[in-house]
Amino acid sequence: AGSWATAANLNTARFYGSGAGTSTSALMVSGETPSGDTHNVESWDGSSWTEVANVNQNIRGGAAAGASNSAVIEFGGYNPSAYNISTCEHWNGSSWTEVADLGTARRYLAGSGQYPSALCYGGYTTTAIGNTETWNGSSWTEVADFNTARSEMGSCGTDSTNALVMGASNTESWNGSTWTEIADL
């Protein structure tokens, strides 16, 4: 068993940001600071955070997916001019490029997987939703919904065929085609 240890702080403190990667190669994207939305992006190398190229929009409450700090997709969220965003951007390790938008604009959603095999699920439009979309590297496709609609949930998963979502008192497992409730929290 391991233990928790304090690591280096982000250069820009924020909340409602999104992140992806591993404990030795990760990206922190966007969020909100006390002075407003930020499009700052920071890369983690296992010991320190470094500011890298900013995402194109100031977004908070979005989600991200990716296995390292060199291949991440960031999607959804909101900002003062749009309460639900469908924008999706891809990070290739040096710059951000806007790619195909989500089918359903939303905020407070979750994401998991790797680029180019990712999932986007749940979130909030005018109410909590259970919509799930898969990313194949060029487009999003709507697939099966959760059994319990939710937003602001915990999530994890390795690709578009294997994920967990936790929150709203239960846990559901994704097998690539359906969500199944597996345990209550």
Side-chain angles (χ1 to χ4, degrees), residues 169-180:
S169 80
N170 71 350
T171 302
E172 295 186 44
S173 174
W174 172 255
N175 66 8
S177 60
T178 60
W179 289 100
T180 303

Side-chain angles (χ1 to χ4, degrees), residues 66-100:
S68 72
N69 60 10
S70 62
V72 171
I73 187 168
E74 193 244 0
F75 41 89
Y78 72 106
N79 61 35
S81 63
Y83 287 119
N84 295 304
I85 294 174
S86 61
T87 302
C88 178
E89 294 188 45
H90 171 242
W91 171 253
N92 65 9
S94 62
S95 64
W96 289 95
T97 304
E98 186 164 346
V99 292

Side-chain angles (χ1 to χ4, degrees), residues 36-109:
D37 296 336
T38 181
H39 57 265
N40 287 9
V41 177
E42 296 185 44
S43 178
W44 174 254
D45 64 7
S47 63
S48 63
W49 291 98
T50 303
E51 176 82 21
V52 294
N54 292 340
V55 72
N56 293 308
Q57 290 191 59
N58 290 346
I59 295 174
R60 59 184 168 199
S68 72
N69 60 10
S70 62
V72 171
I73 187 168
E74 193 244 0
F75 41 89
Y78 72 106
N79 61 35
S81 63
Y83 287 119
N84 295 304
I85 294 174
S86 61
T87 302
C88 178
E89 294 188 45
H90 171 242
W91 171 253
N92 65 9
S94 62
S95 64
W96 289 95
T97 304
E98 186 164 346
V99 292
D101 289 351
L102 293 170
T104 301
R106 58 187 111 173
R107 62 190 183 271
Y108 304 134
L109 62 160

